[in-house]
């Protein structure tokens, strides 16, 4: 190449680069219109979805530390081990008392021989028991002594190496079944503690419902919830709690379906069933995963009440999981399923003079739970769903016309079954249609305008289960990386912008034990003592704690800001606090300056505190050992003459609230 040509090319490149830099440095101009509210944002906009998967209930949120406390697992000694010294002649027999119509069939009968060396039973908990030092634990056991027997039970909490970290003794058992209780104060902590029951004396003692709870549960409810996990849910200030699933509502077959009536009343009488995630994935089988239903429908309602969220129970619609048995109940045998729905509304809302309302009152909550929403079915598709759904809908609305029914569009985000669902359901009267999508991050980025095109007059959308699935990796918590979280944030700007159509949204799944998960990513990870929020959790939290009351326009050249030039922005006002709330996402690797012009608005302050969530590393994630790799930090942003001048950091989410004079 000639020298002159080379020089010419160089100059051209320089001019081009300079030009690009100047353009890049020009702030993107956005217009925000706080005085033109588009639609109310429902108080239910951002909620949570709880399913007993990944040991989320037993071994997780439900604070019971004893696994298989009533010996009702199919292998009755699962979770239990005999403690025996050489020469022992004492023994345990599992007895079925043979009574019909009872949930709690079995108990352990221990014959103790005084002469024998130490004999006992040890419970391993759920991947160990998490025990904190200097705390109180409530132990209880239902027991009876054989007449004439003189038996003591030494109750010990031990750490992984067998050191005793808490102890008490129970004695004076009588020959009829009674509950015995004791409080144990711990001297040390244990990540993988155990509960040992050592039997001393002579004769036979029968034991059942062996239970150990931390004295401090969330809101100190008896039969309550693990404090740190429930607090993390409360911190999200969710608008609703969808429960109890998910696929566990459907069951692998109909006998394995979730039946709410077996989960209420006396805790000891709730009938245990296999948790479907026990066997769902061969590579992640969990043979000791059962549903004790200690955390049952009453406790779910109580949780929703305690955290100020609307309860959204989902009921089986007469169909088992279509990925498993796909069994359906005959249409002419659907009535008991429908009766379950009607009775559930009575349980939640009925006066204490009704039979189900009375049960609620007897359980401790005479005031109604004020149920407004009810889900019929989870991920169902094709005619067998619509045929059943419409019978439910007719019966429920005939008796309770104000209940908002949530139906579902199935497991697919689009395509034949999805389209069919919307077409069929639109001819009926669901208040909301539940859509699910587990997709790669790119799908979320590309679909931030998904709801811009939805029919404004049809049923409302419930984005009931969603999560961006980035590439698999070897760390339990590692799939909840920043790449997935920022993609969800970008997508969620589209949910908020379409608040007139989207009335509810929840990430899924919610909780996962690092040693006992079947599915990931998940919003919150925990072990027996610790729990952490993922980057995805902080995205949810920034959205839900900055909801606003009305969505307002934010435009670039008259168009919504939904990913063009890597930027996603949504804006809302809070009419109660007179604030403009901005949520801004930059998915690019470069800083992007923005100027947002707040039209017809008088701003109170010049410097505004914003929350910034960012990472330069797409793979960054929070773990139990490093919980703060991606967490929100404060950033001050200047607002001058109603102009918000903000530089969006590379790969970041910024949420800010701007106090204004009356909006
Ligand atoms: O969230 C995990 C599972 O995903 C849910 O049980 C189901 O509804 C969906 O397929």
């Amino acid at each position: 190449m000639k020298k002159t040509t080379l020089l010419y090319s160089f100059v051209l490149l320089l001019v081009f680069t300079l030009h690009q830099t100047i353009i890049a440095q020009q702030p993107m101009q956005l217009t925000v219109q706080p005085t033109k509210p588009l639609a109310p944002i429902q108080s239910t906009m951002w909620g949570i979805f709880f399913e007993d998967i990944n040991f989320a209930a037993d071994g997780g949120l439900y604070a019971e530390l004893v696994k298989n406390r009533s010996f009702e697992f199919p292998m009755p000694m699962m979770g239990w081990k005999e403690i025996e010294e050489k020469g022992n002649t004492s023994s345990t027999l599992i007895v079925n008392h043979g009574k019909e119509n009872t949930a709690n069939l079995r108990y352990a009968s221990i014959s103790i021989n005084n002469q024998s060396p130490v004999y006992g039973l040890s419970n391993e908990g759920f991947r160990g028991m998490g025990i904190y030092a200097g705390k109180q634990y409530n132990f209880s056991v239902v027991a009876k002594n054989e007449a004439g027997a003189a038996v003591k039970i030494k109750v010990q909490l031990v750490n992984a190496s067998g050191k005793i970290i808490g102890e008490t003794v129970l004695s004076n058992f009588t020959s009829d079944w009674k509950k015995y209780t004791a409080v144990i104060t711990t001297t040390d902590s244990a990540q993988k503690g155990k509960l040992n029951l050592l039997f001393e004396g002579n004769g036979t003692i029968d034991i059942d419902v062996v239970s150990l709870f931390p004295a401090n549960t969330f809101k100190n409810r008896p039969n309550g919830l693990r404090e740190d996990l429930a607090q993390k849910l409360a911190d999200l200030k969710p608008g609703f709690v969808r429960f109890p699933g998910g696929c566990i509502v459907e069951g692998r077959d109909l006998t394995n379906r979730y039946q709410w009536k077996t989960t209420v009343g006396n805790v000891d009488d709730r009938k245990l069933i296999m948790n479907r995630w026990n066997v769902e994935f061969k590579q992640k089988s969990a043979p000791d995963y059962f549903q004790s239903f200690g955390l049952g429908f009453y406790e779910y309602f109580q949780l929703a009440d305690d955290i100020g969220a609307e309860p959204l129970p989902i009921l089986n619609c007469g169909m088992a999981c279509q990925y498993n048995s796909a069994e359906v109940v005959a249409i002419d045998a659907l009535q008991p399923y429908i009766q379950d729905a009607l009775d559930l509304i009575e349980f939640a809302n009925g006066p204490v003079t009704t039979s189900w309302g009375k049960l609620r009152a007897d359980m401790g909550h005479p005031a109604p739970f004020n149920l407004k929403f009810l889900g019929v079915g989870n991920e169902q598709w094709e005619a067998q769903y619509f045929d059943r759904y419409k019978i439910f809908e007719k019966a429920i609305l005939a008796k309770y016309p104000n209940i908002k029914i949530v139906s579902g569009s199935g497991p697919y985000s689009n395509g034949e079954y999805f389209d069919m669902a919307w077409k069929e359901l639109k001819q009926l009267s669901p208040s909301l249609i539940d859509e699910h999508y587990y997709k790669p991050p790119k799908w979320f980025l590309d679909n931030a305008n998904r709801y811009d095109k939805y029919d404004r007059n049809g049923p409302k959308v419930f984005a009931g289960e969603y999560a961006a699935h980035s590439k698999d990796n070897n760390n339990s918590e590692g799939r909840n990386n920043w790449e997935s979280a920022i993609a969800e944030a970008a997508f969620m700007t589209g949910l908020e912008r379409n608040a007139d159509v989207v009335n509810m949204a929840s990430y899924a799944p919610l909780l996962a034990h690092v040693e006992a998960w079947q599915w990931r990513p998940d919003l919150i990870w925990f072990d027996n003592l610790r729990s952490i929020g993922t980057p995805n959790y902080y995205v949810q939290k920034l959205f839900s704690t900055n909801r606003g009351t009305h969505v307002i326009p934010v435009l670039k050249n008259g168009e919504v800001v939904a990913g063009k030039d890597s930027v996603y922005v949504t804006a809302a006002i809070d009419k109660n606090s007179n604030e403009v709330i901005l949520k801004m996402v930059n998915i690019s690797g470069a800083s992007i300056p923005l100027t947002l012009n707040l039209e017809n608005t008088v701003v109170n302050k010049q410097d505004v505190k914003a929350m910034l969530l960012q990472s330069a590393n797409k793979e960054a994630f929070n773990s139990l050992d490093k919980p703060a790799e991606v967490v929100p930090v404060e950033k001050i942003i200047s607002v001058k003459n109603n102009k918000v001048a903000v530089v969006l950091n590379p790969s970041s989410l910024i949420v800010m609230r701007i106090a204004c004079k009356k909006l």
Side-chain angles (χ1 to χ4, degrees), residues 80-214:
W80 294 93
K81 264 199 189 113
E82 289 178 287
I83 305 168
E84 38 188 343
E85 279 181 0
K86 202 161 169 221
N88 164 61
T89 54
S90 300
S91 60
T92 296
L93 196 61
I94 296 297
V95 183
N96 184 320
H97 59 58
K99 292 184 192 144
E100 277 175 19
N101 302 327
T102 169
N104 188 349
L105 278 168
R106 300 187 185 131
Y107 58 89
S109 183
I110 297 114
S111 302
I112 306 133
N113 174 357
N114 220 357
Q115 309 310 316
S116 173
V118 171
Y119 179 75
L121 293 177
S122 178
N123 189 279
E124 67 187 19
F126 300 88
R127 309 293 182 270
M129 290 180 186
I131 296 173
Y132 296 96
K135 296 278 178 199
Q136 295 195 321
Y137 286 82
N138 295 332
F139 173 82
S140 66
V141 61
V142 175
K144 75 174 163 62
N145 233 357
E146 171 198 50
V151 175
K152 278 187 190 165
I153 308 180
K154 216 184 243 175
V155 183
Q156 295 179 337
L157 300 182
V158 298
N159 69 12
S161 35
K163 180 182 144 198
I164 298 168
I165 57 173
E167 189 168 23
T168 191
V169 177
L170 292 177
S171 56
N172 299 324
F173 296 99
T174 62
S175 57
D176 48 348
W177 284 109
K178 261 196 219 153
K179 185 171 179 172
Y180 296 84
T181 61
V183 177
I184 304 174
T185 304
T186 53
T187 52
D188 204 351
S189 65
Q191 172 70 245
K192 287 191 175 279
K194 283 182 195 158
L195 169 73
N196 288 347
L197 308 179
L198 302 177
F199 302 96
E200 291 175 2
N202 228 2
T204 299
I205 184 164
D206 298 334
I207 61 166
D208 202 357
V209 203
V210 183
S211 171
L212 182 73
F213 267 88

Side-chain angles (χ1 to χ4, degrees), residues 49 51 53 242 246-248 277 378-379 436 438 465 508-509 519:
F49 161 51
E51 172 162 21
I53 182 172
R242 176 182 183 238
C247 292
I248 65 163
W277 301 106
N378 173 45
E379 283 183 347
H436 295 176
Y438 297 102
E465 293 184 25
W519 177 298

Side-chain angles (χ1 to χ4, degrees), residues 644-660:
V644 184
V646 55
V647 176
L648 301 184
N649 290 5
S651 192
S652 68
L653 161 68
I654 291 189
V655 177
M656 63 189 290
R657 304 179 76 108
I658 305 163
C660 302

Side-chain angles (χ1 to χ4, degrees), residues 390 393 420-430 433 459:
K390 68 173 80 133
E393 186 184 274
M420 186 193 296
W422 268 92
K423 186 167 162 264
E424 294 285 336
L425 293 169
K426 265 183 149 178
Q427 293 165 35
L428 299 165
S429 307
I433 297 183

Side-chain angles (χ1 to χ4, degrees), residues 250-259 273 320 327 337:
E250 301 162 359
R252 291 174 64 79
D253 58 19
L254 285 172
T255 56
N256 184 234
R257 75 189 190 276
Y258 198 104
Q259 301 187 56
I273 62 168
E327 184 185 16
Y337 292 72

